[in-house]
Amino acid sequence: MNEILGILLAAIICWLNFVLIDTWMGLPESPGVKGAEVIGRSVKKRGGDLSGGFFQGNIVCSPDASAGTLLASIACYAIGTPEGGLVAAVLVYFGNRICADPGYAGTTGALSITVIIYLTSFIGFKPEFFIVGMVLAILTIQGLYQTGASRLLGKLAHKMGRYTKLT
């Protein structure tokens, strides 16, 4: 498979994987760990969406599906088999407990991308496509235009019934 095409498709898959899991697990609803509320309110002050800001704050402050997806991709590459993703899922699970994060978004993200990496390997995808793809996916949420990304995340939270009730 062409590497550029593989990376672009992997970025889309990774973005959908981590954003949908994190939204489904309730990251936009409230700050789950310390620091997430500060980030969410800061994003809102700059014209962003509070739910989207909470989402962004939660993924910065705790290993949620974005971290799980990235770490599982790296572990699959480093170990050379999908079992690396299972090792990453265990590490992310313990990372959540260390952060006092009550959720399982990171573990779910690691497990789901491990299955995706395994299944897409049959059509020529490599784990390294998902490493680069995940970095690109995180960049779209945290690095390019945080205020605009928070609005997109807020709209998605509305559609999934996960919008914050906090003001």
Side-chain angles (χ1 to χ4, degrees), residues 2-16:
N2 179 307
E3 287 186 352
I4 301 296
L5 179 62
I7 288 169
L8 290 175
L9 291 173
I12 293 166
I13 292 168
C14 287
W15 194 94
L16 290 170

Side-chain angles (χ1 to χ4, degrees), residues 32 52 59 82 92 107 109 140 146 148 158:
I59 68 171
V92 170
T107 307
T140 66
Q146 194 175 24
H158 267 296

Side-chain angles (χ1 to χ4, degrees), residues 53-109:
F54 285 161
F55 180 105
Q56 291 168 329
N58 279 316
I59 68 171
V60 166
C61 299
S62 179
D64 289 308
S66 58
T69 300
L70 180 59
L71 291 173
S73 300
I74 292 168
C76 286
Y77 173 74
I79 295 175
T81 64
E83 286 81 2
L86 301 177
V87 172
V90 169
L91 294 174
V92 170
Y93 173 82
F94 286 119
N96 283 129
R97 305 295 73 81
I98 290 169
C99 292
D101 186 332
Y104 298 95
T107 307
T108 304

Side-chain angles (χ1 to χ4, degrees), residues 16-41:
L16 290 170
N17 185 61
F18 98 84
V19 170
L20 292 176
I21 289 171
D22 279 348
T23 303
W24 175 61
M25 294 275 187
L27 270 66
E29 291 181 304
S30 65
V33 293
K34 291 185 179 197
E37 183 166 11
V38 173
I39 292 170
R41 301 229 181 256

Side-chain angles (χ1 to χ4, degrees), residues 41-156:
R41 301 229 181 256
S42 172
V43 168
K44 184 177 179 181
K45 271 190 218 174
R46 290 180 277 130
D49 184 273
L50 185 60
S51 268
F54 285 161
F55 180 105
Q56 291 168 329
N58 279 316
I59 68 171
V60 166
C61 299
S62 179
D64 289 308
S66 58
T69 300
L70 180 59
L71 291 173
S73 300
I74 292 168
C76 286
Y77 173 74
I79 295 175
T81 64
E83 286 81 2
L86 301 177
V87 172
V90 169
L91 294 174
V92 170
Y93 173 82
F94 286 119
N96 283 129
R97 305 295 73 81
I98 290 169
C99 292
D101 186 332
Y104 298 95
T107 307
T108 304
L111 292 172
S112 64
I113 202 67
T114 299
V115 170
I116 291 168
I117 289 171
Y118 173 73
L119 293 175
T120 58
S121 70
F122 293 110
I123 57 171
F125 280 76
K126 300 175 185 173
E128 52 265 35
F129 293 176
F130 291 94
I131 296 170
V132 178
M134 190 58 213
V135 170
L136 294 173
I138 292 171
L139 182 65
T140 66
I141 297 299
Q142 298 286 22
L144 293 177
Y145 182 49
Q146 194 175 24
T147 305
S150 75
R151 287 191 218 123
L152 174 64
L153 294 169
K155 287 177 185 175
L156 184 61

